[in-house]
Amino acid sequence: MLLLQPQKKYFKRGDLAEQEKKEYEAKHNIKRIEEQPSTSTQEPDHPNTIAVDEDKLPMNISRQEVIRRLRDRTEPIRLFGESDYEAFQRLRKLEIMAPDINKGLRNDFKAAMDELEQDNIDELIKQETGESDAQKINLKVVEDNTSLESLRKMAAKLGKGDENHDCDVILKTMQFLLRCWAKELNEMPPEKKKTVQWKTQSAIRRQTEAYLAPLCSKLKKRTVSQDILEYLAGIIGHVLNRDYVQASAVYLQMAIGNAPWPIGVTMVGIHARTGREKIFSQQIAHVLNDETQRKFIQGLKRIMTVCQRLYPTDPSKSLEYNAVKPI
């Protein structure tokens, strides 16, 4: 064998494969055509320059911009064996076929923080230009001369069958607690209003107000469903009586319900029992219905916590008494 030279005791497997290939071509009279190097795409001399064919569009954006746009679309920034220009072509194809990017769920907390930050910037600009005499940034509060004692008197007839009265008491109580929350934030010292904690609490308060807006609109129009109105009346009644443990129990029953998750058989017997629909309505987990209900249920829990902090009661009637601390 020609591969095994006198001065060598071994040979490479690649050399053996190449020798066998040549013997096979000679045996079958096969002529090998040498491959010509392609002149269309060559390695660039500079890392920022890319040589392309004349029939292809030039890469008119940087590699960093291509990476950013691909990551915005949750696409890989480079496939196996892909060049920078091929990644650019893939990005162009994605932008042509799907111009709209799915941003996913909206971050309401970040939006509230951004809105609050913009309001602070606008207020500071007014102070510098002399358009505002205020020396500190406050949250807007609209007074209506409502007190906790007046709400407690109105709550004496809560849940007695008068739905219009129940809607009025629930609406006024939620608005009253939101005003109290805003006043608490406004009364903080000016040096604390520059901290991240104050901005976070202000953004949470504004987000809570936005979450409760659909519920307040339904209460004004008297379009709240009967089962939710019963739960809200129970929660507000216990909150005004400063019995936060019972209010939390009613809240949990409204939010997650007490029905077991059905697996397999969901109905026993052929005929449904009398009043079965009414029994089932008390076991619905309303937080699972839609996103709007989930938001106002979350906002309701926040104002319950604020009420417990502003109007404390006995530890036996408080929920997580040691965990509720002032700002």
Side-chain angles (χ1 to χ4, degrees):
M1 183 175 290
L2 298 177
L3 291 176
L4 191 59
Q5 301 296 333
Q7 65 275 15
K8 291 185 178 181
K9 298 182 179 180
Y10 61 90
F11 57 87
K12 296 181 180 180
R13 182 177 291 274
D15 297 337
L16 176 61
E18 183 67 20
Q19 182 66 27
E20 291 177 350
K21 184 176 181 180
K22 289 181 179 180
E23 293 178 357
Y24 178 83
E25 292 174 352
K27 181 179 179 181
H28 296 278
N29 196 17
I30 298 176
K31 294 182 179 181
R32 182 181 300 186
I33 299 176
E34 298 294 335
E35 296 181 357
Q36 298 294 332
S38 177
T39 59
S40 59
T41 58
Q42 296 179 357
E43 292 294 330
D45 298 334
H46 194 273
N48 294 329
T49 60
I50 296 178
V52 298
D53 291 341
E54 294 181 356
D55 57 342
K56 292 184 179 181
L57 292 176
M59 186 174 174
N60 52 8
I61 58 177
S62 63
R63 173 61 183 169
Q64 289 76 12
E65 181 67 15
V66 172
I67 292 175
R68 186 188 66 81
R69 293 187 186 182
L70 288 173
R71 283 177 175 168
D72 288 343
R73 295 174 176 272
T74 64
E75 294 287 338
I77 62 175
R78 189 188 298 275
L79 298 178
F80 181 77
E82 187 180 50
S83 63
D84 292 348
Y85 184 76
E86 291 172 347
F88 166 70
Q89 291 287 73
R90 179 163 56 89
L91 174 63
R92 288 185 64 250
K93 184 177 180 181
L94 290 172
E95 291 179 343
I96 293 173
M97 296 180 63
D100 296 331
I101 304 176
N102 184 14
K103 292 291 185 180
L105 297 177
R106 181 173 175 265
N107 192 336
D108 299 316
F109 179 73
K110 183 178 182 301
M113 284 290 291
D114 294 341
E115 186 179 355
L116 179 67
E117 187 70 22
Q118 187 61 41
D119 290 347
N120 292 345
I121 293 173
D122 296 340
E123 189 69 20
L124 290 174
I125 292 175
K126 289 182 181 180
Q127 291 179 12
E128 293 177 358
T129 56
E131 297 179 4
S132 176
D133 296 331
Q135 299 298 324
K136 59 182 180 179
I137 302 171
N138 292 331
L139 299 175
K140 296 180 180 179
V141 179
V142 180
E143 293 288 350
D144 63 349
N145 298 325
T146 303
S147 63
L148 184 65
E149 296 300 327
S150 62
L151 291 174
R152 293 185 66 179
K153 293 179 180 179
M154 295 175 62
K157 298 181 180 179
L158 196 64
K160 302 297 183 180
D162 190 355
E163 295 184 1
N164 294 334
H165 178 73
D166 294 349
C167 291
D168 290 337
V169 175
I170 295 169
L171 178 61
K172 290 183 178 180
T173 303
M174 291 192 303
Q175 293 175 347
F176 171 75
L177 292 177
L178 287 173
R179 284 196 301 272
C180 292
W181 194 357
K183 290 179 181 178
E184 181 191 22
L185 294 172
N186 291 339
E187 291 174 356
M188 295 182 65
E191 58 272 11
K192 283 192 175 182
K193 292 185 179 181
K194 299 179 182 180
T195 61
V196 178
Q197 185 180 8
W198 186 88
K199 293 181 180 181
T200 303
Q201 291 297 324
S202 301
I204 292 175
R205 189 261 175 197
R206 181 167 298 185
Q207 184 190 51
T208 303
E209 187 176 9
Y211 280 2
L212 293 174
L215 178 60
C216 293
S217 178
K218 289 185 178 181
L219 289 171
K220 292 178 181 178
K221 297 178 182 179
R222 309 293 193 264
T223 57
V224 183
S225 60
Q226 180 66 30
D227 53 344
I228 294 181
L229 185 61
E230 292 178 1
Y231 285 125
L232 292 176
I235 293 172
I236 296 301
H238 291 305
V239 166
L240 292 176
N241 292 327
R242 301 187 186 183
D243 192 350
Y244 303 111
V245 174
Q246 293 296 326
S248 178
V250 180
Y251 167 81
L252 290 176
Q253 188 176 3
M254 177 183 68
I256 63 178
N258 57 2
W261 293 97
I263 300 176
V265 179
T266 59
M267 183 174 179
V268 180
I270 300 174
H271 305 287
R273 295 190 304 173
T274 305
R276 182 179 179 87
E277 293 81 5
K278 185 177 180 180
I279 295 174
F280 183 72
S281 66
Q282 302 296 325
Q283 301 175 348
I284 297 175
H286 292 281
V287 73
L288 302 177
N289 284 357
D290 55 19
E291 189 70 9
T292 303
Q293 286 193 14
R294 182 199 66 80
K295 287 183 177 181
F296 77 67
I297 286 174
Q298 182 180 358
L300 188 63
K301 183 64 174 68
R302 288 177 180 174
I303 62 173
M304 288 169 57
T305 305
V306 170
C307 185
Q308 180 176 336
R309 183 175 67 246
L310 297 179
Y311 300 98
T313 183
D314 298 335
S316 60
K317 295 183 179 180
S318 299
L319 185 67
E320 297 180 357
Y321 184 77
N322 294 327
V324 179
K325 298 180 180 179
I327 299 174

